[in-house]
């Protein structure tokens, strides 16, 4: 569907000239000879952009800008002005105009402004759609923090809904940073055990002796520093859920004790003789291949089967790219609010860079990247330059154009245009969109280079 541009100008020759130019660039055009007619037209049919003269009969250009900005804030307005009224045009910018141009018009500059303003309008619509989709997903899936619409995530959510009401042990597998703990939290939240908080133990962060005490508790005097009795996590989680993160890191002596709890629902504190019974659901997670660890003799096979009654594998972020925009918008809303900033979304290059990146650190790395971008963002959209350095390096490597030192600006422009055209398979319309120039401008440039600019 072609973008619709409304031209408001009392000079018929200017309207017809602009119409001809814009229709050649594949835009739909509407005309109005005064501000009142223009505003009525916007009210009666969808308009994507307004080009308005500053001096109009009746309603002034300033009033047109102000009215459009208030009533149709997503519709950008480009103001046309004579050299003597530049101050008025600047005032229009304060009232909400996207930009202004002085007459006589530079058509290349006008086409560039149109493309940029429509790109921004498209991006704002996209951000609004993503925000609405995010709200719908959270409401429909009942998972406040588990975000995604990809096929793997939909499957995970279905499994969670089925397994949550049961007492079954669950083993969550996946690379570091994919969100395994969020899956565990979702299972707990949808279970009957949600009256108590889920208790988490990060097994890799504790030594053998500390982990044993952390899980099972200890009696006074059980070891040096044990000055009083202390309840362990299995005891504290009674009636609730215990999440054992990175269970593949624990040694076999602790593995045996965990196996006993799973089998007999009982244990003794370190240094104690009294048997303590517990009703606890165990959810474990690991980024290791436990079957390989069993083969190496590092992990007990019997414990593995006790834990792996239901397996939920969370794929890496690079395998579920459809989730990236939703996650990015969710983190942006959260982190911009935390930092007291008003950031509406991402520009096209930033969103494209997030989508193409491999994400070795998965969702955790994505959140960190968005937090960094929020800190450095100066406007209302996150740009490519706001993202961490690896995104600029990645984008530059993929662009494939190397400009040698000493190259003139004209030659550099030629290299970029010809490379972009080759990447588009000779499609000049697509190349012009990527370069953010009008199709006629591209044809003129190709003529200058001695290349016949046949139609696509």
């Amino acid at each position: 569907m072609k973008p619709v541009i409304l031209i408001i100008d009392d000079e018929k020759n200017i309207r017809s000239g602009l119409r001809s130019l814009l229709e050649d660039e594949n835009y739909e055009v509407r005309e109005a000879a005064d501000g009142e007619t223009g505003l009525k037209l916007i009210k009666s049919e969808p308009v994507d952009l307004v080009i308005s003269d500053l001096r109009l009969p009746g309603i002034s250009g300033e009033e047109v800008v102000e009215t459009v900005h208030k009533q149709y804030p997503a519709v950008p307005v480009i103001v046309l002005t004579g050299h003597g009224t530049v101050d008025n045009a600047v005032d229009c910018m304060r009232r909400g105009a996207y930009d202004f141009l002085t007459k006589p018009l530079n058509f290349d500059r006008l086409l560039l402004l149109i493309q940029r303003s429509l790109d921004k309008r498209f991006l704002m619509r996209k951000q609004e759609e993503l925000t609405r989709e995010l709200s719908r997903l959270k409401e429909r899936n009942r998972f406040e923090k588990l975000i995604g619409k990809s096929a793997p995530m939909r499957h995970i959510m279905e499994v969670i809904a089925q397994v949550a009401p049961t007492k079954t042990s669950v083993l969550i597998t996946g690379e570091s940073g994919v969100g395994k703990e969020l899956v565990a939290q979702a299972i707990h939240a949808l279970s009957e055990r949600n009256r108590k908080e889920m208790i988490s133990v990060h097994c890799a962060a504790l030594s053998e002796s500390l982990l044993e005490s952390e899980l099972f508790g200890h009696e006074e005097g059980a070891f040096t520093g044990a000055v009083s009795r202390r309840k362990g996590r299995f005891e504290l989680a009674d009636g609730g859920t215990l999440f054992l993160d990175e269970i593949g890191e624990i040694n076999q002596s602790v593995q045996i004790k965990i196996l006993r709890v799973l089998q007999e629902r009982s244990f003794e504190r370190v240094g104690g003789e009294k048997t303590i019974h517990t009703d606890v659901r165990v959810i474990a997670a690991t980024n290791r291949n436990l079957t390989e660890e069993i083969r190496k003799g590092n992990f007990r096979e019997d414990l593995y089967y006790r834990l792996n009654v239901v397996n939920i594998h969370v794929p890496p972020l690079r395998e579920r790219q459809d989730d990236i925009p939703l996650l990015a918008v969710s983190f942006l809303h959260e982190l911009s609010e935390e930092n007291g900033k008003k950031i509406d979304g991402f520009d096209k290059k930033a969103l494209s860079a997030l989508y193409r990146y491999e994400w070795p650190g998965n969702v955790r790395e994505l959140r960190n990247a968005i937090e960094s971008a929020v800190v450095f963002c100066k406007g209302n959209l996150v740009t490519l330059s706001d993202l961490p350095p690896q995104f600029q390096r990645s984008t530059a490597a993929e662009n494939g154009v190397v400009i040698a030192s000493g190259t003139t600006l004209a030659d550099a422009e030629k290299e970029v245009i010809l490379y972009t055209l080759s990447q588009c398979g000779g499609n000049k319309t697509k190349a012009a969109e990527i370069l953010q120039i009008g199709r006629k401008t591209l044809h003129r440039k190709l003529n200058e280079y001695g290349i016949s600019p046949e139609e696509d």
Side-chain angles (χ1 to χ4, degrees), residues 275-286:
T275 298
I276 298 166
H277 296 277
T278 185
D279 171 26
V280 62
R281 180 189 204 162
V282 173
I283 300 176
T286 182

Side-chain angles (χ1 to χ4, degrees), residues 3-8 38-39 41-43 45-52 64-79 92 95-99 113-114 116-122 124-125 128:
V4 178
I5 298 177
L6 169 62
I7 303 167
I8 306 176
L39 292 174
L41 198 149
I42 297 173
K43 193 174 182 179
E45 64 175 289
V47 169
D48 296 296
L49 180 139
V50 176
I51 299 173
S52 176
V64 168
V65 169
E66 201 160 13
T67 302
V68 173
H69 184 63
K70 284 181 180 177
Q71 296 183 9
Y72 313 97
V75 177
V77 182
I78 297 173
V79 173
C92 279
R95 294 171 185 242
Y98 177 77
D99 212 328
L113 282 179
I114 290 170
R116 284 179 177 171
S117 61
L118 289 175
D119 280 349
K120 185 175 181 181
R121 175 171 164 78
F122 170 79
M124 297 308 293
R125 281 178 171 174
E128 289 168 4

Side-chain angles (χ1 to χ4, degrees), residues 147-188:
I147 295 164
K149 65 173 183 177
S150 63
M153 286 305 296
R154 290 200 304 270
H155 174 69
I156 287 170
M157 291 172 184
E158 288 171 6
V159 173
I160 289 172
Q162 285 182 287
V163 76
T166 70
K167 294 183 178 181
T168 302
S169 297
V170 180
L171 179 64
I172 306 167
T173 55
E175 293 179 9
S176 179
V178 293
K180 297 187 289 293
E181 187 164 0
L182 294 178
V183 173
Q185 288 172 353
I187 294 171
H188 174 72

Side-chain angles (χ1 to χ4, degrees), residues 124-367:
M124 297 308 293
R125 281 178 171 174
K126 186 71 176 172
Q127 307 301 331
E128 289 168 4
E129 286 172 13
L130 285 170
T131 300
R132 287 195 296 270
E133 187 173 10
L134 195 60
S135 299
R136 287 196 301 269
L137 280 171
K138 286 182 176 181
E139 185 177 340
R140 185 169 67 243
N141 295 323
R142 297 171 293 166
F143 306 125
E144 186 178 347
K145 295 183 179 178
L146 203 59
I147 295 164
K149 65 173 183 177
S150 63
M153 286 305 296
R154 290 200 304 270
H155 174 69
I156 287 170
M157 291 172 184
E158 288 171 6
V159 173
I160 289 172
Q162 285 182 287
V163 76
T166 70
K167 294 183 178 181
T168 302
S169 297
V170 180
L171 179 64
I172 306 167
T173 55
E175 293 179 9
S176 179
V178 293
K180 297 187 289 293
E181 187 164 0
L182 294 178
V183 173
Q185 288 172 353
I187 294 171
H188 174 72
L190 293 180
S191 74
E192 294 180 358
R193 297 171 177 265
N194 62 14
R195 292 183 298 275
K196 297 187 69 174
E197 284 189 18
M198 182 181 83
I199 292 179
S200 300
V201 180
H202 297 277
C203 303
L206 301 168
S207 65
E208 178 184 343
S209 58
L210 283 176
L211 178 60
E212 187 176 1
S213 173
E214 190 72 21
L215 291 174
F216 306 106
H218 61 254
E219 297 290 347
E220 182 181 348
F223 51 83
T224 304
V227 295
S228 62
R229 174 187 287 177
R230 186 172 183 271
K231 290 182 178 181
R233 298 304 178 95
F234 273 105
E235 194 170 350
L236 294 170
D238 185 33
T241 304
L242 179 63
F243 175 59
L244 301 177
D245 195 15
E246 300 306 343
I247 193 139
E249 308 296 327
I250 65 177
N251 61 45
Q252 294 230 3
S253 65
V254 178
Q255 288 177 34
I256 293 170
K257 294 187 176 183
I258 293 174
L259 177 62
R260 183 193 165 198
V261 178
L262 292 173
Q263 289 174 332
E264 301 176 12
R265 304 288 175 183
S266 63
F267 62 94
E268 288 82 38
R269 298 191 190 102
V270 176
E273 297 177 353
K274 180 184 176 183
T275 298
I276 298 166
H277 296 277
T278 185
D279 171 26
V280 62
R281 180 189 204 162
V282 173
I283 300 176
T286 182
N287 60 14
R288 288 179 178 261
N289 183 335
L290 290 187
T291 54
E292 182 64 20
E293 295 301 309
I294 291 168
R295 190 187 66 76
K296 292 177 181 177
N298 296 331
F299 202 84
R300 293 182 62 93
E301 188 173 17
D302 46 5
L303 176 58
Y304 173 74
Y305 288 120
R306 279 284 181 180
L307 292 170
N308 196 37
V309 178
V310 172
N311 176 253
I312 297 178
H313 179 71
V314 186
L317 193 54
R318 61 184 173 274
E319 292 179 11
R320 45 188 179 102
Q321 286 185 316
D322 287 349
D323 297 334
I324 292 171
L326 283 173
L327 286 163
V329 167
S330 176
F331 291 144
L332 184 67
H333 289 171
E334 174 194 342
L335 294 166
S336 57
E337 187 176 339
E338 278 183 16
N339 288 277
K341 286 193 168 186
K342 177 70 172 70
I343 304 175
D344 297 319
F346 303 87
D347 75 4
K348 188 187 293 184
K349 289 183 180 179
L351 202 55
S352 178
L354 293 175
Y355 196 79
R356 291 196 312 267
Y357 187 64
E358 284 294 306
W359 298 109
N362 292 295
V363 179
R364 185 183 294 126
E365 185 183 9
L366 174 58
R367 190 183 191 282

Side-chain angles (χ1 to χ4, degrees), residues 299-453:
F299 202 84
R300 293 182 62 93
E301 188 173 17
D302 46 5
L303 176 58
Y304 173 74
Y305 288 120
R306 279 284 181 180
L307 292 170
N308 196 37
V309 178
V310 172
N311 176 253
I312 297 178
H313 179 71
V314 186
L317 193 54
R318 61 184 173 274
E319 292 179 11
R320 45 188 179 102
Q321 286 185 316
D322 287 349
D323 297 334
I324 292 171
L326 283 173
L327 286 163
V329 167
S330 176
F331 291 144
L332 184 67
H333 289 171
E334 174 194 342
L335 294 166
S336 57
E337 187 176 339
E338 278 183 16
N339 288 277
K341 286 193 168 186
K342 177 70 172 70
I343 304 175
D344 297 319
F346 303 87
D347 75 4
K348 188 187 293 184
K349 289 183 180 179
L351 202 55
S352 178
L354 293 175
Y355 196 79
R356 291 196 312 267
Y357 187 64
E358 284 294 306
W359 298 109
N362 292 295
V363 179
R364 185 183 294 126
E365 185 183 9
L366 174 58
R367 190 183 191 282
N368 289 347
I370 302 304
E371 185 169 11
S372 174
V374 166
V375 170
F376 289 105
C377 182
K378 297 181 181 68
N380 66 333
L381 288 177
V382 170
T383 66
L384 180 61
S385 61
D386 296 325
L387 293 171
Q390 65 264 33
F391 293 91
Q392 277 91 49
R393 290 195 296 269
S394 173
T395 302
E398 288 179 9
N399 285 342
V401 182
V402 178
I403 306 297
S405 176
T407 304
T408 66
L409 186 59
D411 286 341
E413 180 186 68
K414 180 179 177 180
E415 284 193 45
V416 171
I417 288 174
L418 295 181
Y419 176 80
T420 303
L421 190 60
S422 70
Q423 291 298 102
C424 295
N427 186 319
K428 297 172 188 64
T429 300
K430 188 175 179 182
E433 287 176 2
I434 292 170
L435 293 164
Q436 296 189 2
I437 60 176
R439 196 170 55 180
K440 275 193 170 182
T441 302
L442 178 60
H443 285 192
R444 192 183 73 249
K445 295 286 185 184
L446 293 176
N447 269 324
E448 291 173 8
Y449 307 150
I451 298 170
S452 177

